[in-house]
Amino acid sequence: MHRRARSEEAKLQRAEDLLAAARRLAVELGGVRHVTLAAVTEAAGLHASAVRRYFASREELFLELAERGWEEWRDVLTARLAGARGLPPGELAEALSTTIVTLPLFCDLLTHVSLSLEGDVSVERARQYKTRSFKAYDVIVETLVNAGTLTAQQVHDVIAALLGTTSYFWQLSHPTATLAELYLQEPRWSHSALDFESRLTRLLKATAEGLAER
């Protein structure tokens, strides 16, 4: 039986239940693109009509997870580089790539944020996302500048390269069932879907080192 949350604490818990269900389904189903709001509410044990009390839409729910992804990445990266100074560009690039791949849902969400999530919510909800994500981003930039030898502008460029490459390669490396079957039939075409972390790290190192030489 579905129960309606009465207290503020209970409402917050219902929202957390929905977010946890969305995370779990994204893993089980092979990505955010396969997760419907109806499936999330069912997995969280809530009535389908109740979800609107916590999130206005599917986009808003996943945008919340993307916000948290930025903060999780900030925390993982700052812990990785705590106390580091004078690191060469290649080591900074490796720290970026190896930390972001520990957050698979965030890697997946990077594609969907720019494609649909932040553009399909209210202005105030988009403002909240931008505020929280840029707050985490600013800490990431400061951490990298303090830990290495790249300038702030070079760090901005490296992060931009990382985000774009991650969002593209993550989708390639997690193909749909149709593409996975096709790659088995045509192994030559599967090269783009292999070695996500190693390829990401290699390309980001080349980018960081190239920027440092300019």
Side-chain angles (χ1 to χ4, degrees):
M1 178 179 178
H2 301 294
R3 292 185 176 182
R4 181 172 181 175
R6 298 293 183 182
S7 69
E8 187 63 29
E9 182 179 352
K11 290 179 180 179
L12 290 174
Q13 185 57 56
R14 292 289 190 277
E16 292 300 322
D17 291 343
L18 287 164
L19 292 166
R23 284 180 179 273
R24 185 170 65 254
L25 287 172
V27 173
E28 293 174 356
L29 299 179
V32 170
R33 59 190 163 185
H34 303 298
V35 181
T36 65
L37 195 57
V40 171
T41 55
E42 182 178 355
L46 297 177
H47 192 278
S49 63
V51 68
R52 303 296 180 182
R53 291 199 293 270
Y54 312 104
F55 297 99
S57 63
R58 176 184 180 277
E59 289 75 20
E60 187 173 291
L61 185 151
F62 279 109
L63 198 62
E64 172 68 27
L65 288 176
E67 285 179 14
R68 297 186 183 197
W70 273 104
E71 293 164 351
E72 290 167 3
W73 185 34
R74 174 202 62 202
D75 293 344
V76 172
L77 183 65
T78 53
R80 165 75 179 270
L81 295 176
R85 293 294 183 271
L87 295 180
E91 290 190 31
L92 287 180
E94 185 173 0
L96 281 166
S97 63
T98 57
T99 53
I100 203 169
V101 299
T102 66
L103 303 168
L105 178 60
F106 182 52
C107 291
D108 187 11
L109 283 166
L110 285 174
T111 302
H112 299 281
V113 166
S114 58
L115 188 65
S116 61
L117 299 183
E118 65 179 355
D120 289 341
V121 295
S122 68
V123 171
E124 285 309 308
R125 189 62 189 82
R127 185 190 306 279
Q128 178 183 319
Y129 171 75
K130 292 294 190 184
T131 300
R132 287 180 63 182
S133 61
F134 270 101
K135 184 177 180 179
Y137 175 88
D138 289 342
V139 173
I140 290 170
V141 170
E142 182 180 5
T143 298
L144 292 167
V145 170
N146 291 337
T149 57
L150 293 176
T151 67
Q153 184 57 59
Q154 289 168 337
V155 166
H156 286 299
D157 290 343
V158 170
I159 294 175
L162 171 69
L163 297 177
T165 305
T166 297
S167 62
Y168 177 61
F169 280 143
W170 179 261
Q171 303 305 326
L172 286 179
S173 63
H174 294 79
T176 62
T178 297
L179 287 175
E181 181 179 348
L182 180 60
Y183 293 155
L184 287 175
Q185 298 173 10
E186 302 290 346
R188 177 174 173 268
W189 295 344
S190 69
H191 69 91
S192 60
L194 300 176
D195 301 323
F196 169 69
E197 182 175 352
S198 62
R199 176 173 286 190
L200 178 65
T201 301
R202 186 168 63 251
L203 291 175
L204 198 64
K205 280 185 174 181
T207 300
E209 290 165 356
L211 286 168
E213 293 176 358
R214 294 181 60 182

